[in-house]
Amino acid sequence: MYDELIDSFYYDFQIHLARAVSVKFSRKIQRDLKKNSIFAPRFSNRNGYNMIERFTVENYRSYQREVTLSFLASNREKSSTLPPQWYKEIDGKRLLRLLICVGLNGTGKSKIFSALDYLRMIVIARPKDPTARPEYRPFLLDNDSRTRPTVLTLSYYIGTIGYYYKVAVSSDRVEEEILRR
């Protein structure tokens, strides 16, 4: 179940990112992406939508402290007219259908998507040897971070049902894993 959920959301992120940079896929490329991509969703949602609320990363590569990528429309937008096609309202929350990451070179825009791919890899990769250690990618510029676990959390909706997934990975093992509604 975990791998299907993460797969679906990573695929959605790819499409969101492509839309954000104005890349238009031809129908053939869309079919190929869905058919051949390692990120192609493995299940379909009867309700027609999967929405990420927030993705949080801590102690991963260039992120020492907690960093959150949020798809919630800002409170400032409530006073203006936000076109309804820009968001999906679920549980009274307006979740953006599109998120654009902008910033200077080297500020971590790509790393947030790398962290999402890392989360996917952790969830999907089943070690053949039960004693195998997980791949560990901490912030390496101080000694304290090297010993702390990398923590990744994902809050998301499948249809109208909200889920929370959290995993903490150290150099020796998966320290904590939580999935709840």
Side-chain angles (χ1 to χ4, degrees):
M1 179 173 150
Y2 294 144
D3 57 340
E4 292 171 344
L5 298 175
I6 300 302
D7 247 10
S8 175
F9 285 107
Y10 194 84
Y11 176 79
D12 288 346
F13 257 142
Q14 283 184 317
I15 298 301
H16 283 295
L17 182 62
R19 287 180 184 148
V21 294
S22 299
V23 173
K24 294 184 179 179
F25 293 129
S26 70
R27 289 184 192 265
K28 182 184 182 319
I29 292 173
Q30 288 177 10
R31 276 193 313 270
D32 289 347
L33 183 63
K34 287 180 181 177
K35 181 179 174 186
N36 300 322
S37 173
I38 60 171
F39 304 117
R42 295 182 184 168
F43 72 104
S44 62
N45 180 5
R46 284 179 285 232
N47 296 321
Y49 56 90
N50 301 326
M51 301 291 290
I52 295 174
E53 181 179 345
R54 93 177 25 97
F55 176 62
T56 304
V57 180
E58 181 181 350
N59 195 34
Y60 173 79
R61 303 247 182 192
S62 59
Y63 298 120
Q64 180 182 20
R65 295 189 182 92
E66 186 176 286
V67 174
T68 300
L69 178 67
S70 175
F71 280 79
L72 288 172
S74 73
N75 290 336
R76 187 173 22 164
E77 296 295 334
K78 286 185 180 179
S79 61
S80 68
T81 307
L82 189 63
Q85 62 268 26
W86 289 10
Y87 65 91
K88 178 77 176 169
E89 190 159 339
I90 305 172
D91 287 343
K93 300 173 188 174
R94 295 183 315 157
L95 301 176
L96 298 172
R97 295 177 189 264
L98 174 68
L99 182 71
I100 299 173
C101 296
V102 294
L104 299 173
N105 291 343
T107 57
K109 298 178 301 293
S110 297
K111 289 290 184 246
I112 197 79
F113 294 102
S114 170
L116 190 59
D117 187 39
Y118 178 58
L119 174 63
R120 179 186 172 278
M121 187 267 312
I122 290 169
V123 170
I124 292 174
R126 304 273 193 268
K128 293 179 181 165
D129 178 10
T131 61
R133 294 179 178 197
E135 188 173 331
Y136 178 54
R137 301 176 183 174
F139 180 81
L140 295 174
L141 297 179
D142 72 14
N143 291 330
D144 180 48
S145 295
R146 292 171 190 240
T147 59
R148 288 186 303 118
T150 296
V151 180
L152 306 162
T153 62
L154 185 67
S155 298
Y156 57 94
Y157 288 87
I158 297 178
T160 57
I161 301 171
Y163 295 91
Y164 172 83
Y165 179 73
K166 176 182 179 181
V167 64
V169 180
S170 70
S171 60
D172 296 325
R173 62 192 175 134
V174 173
E175 299 284 334
E176 178 181 26
E177 187 175 36
I178 300 168
L179 176 64
R180 65 175 180 241
R181 280 181 153 186

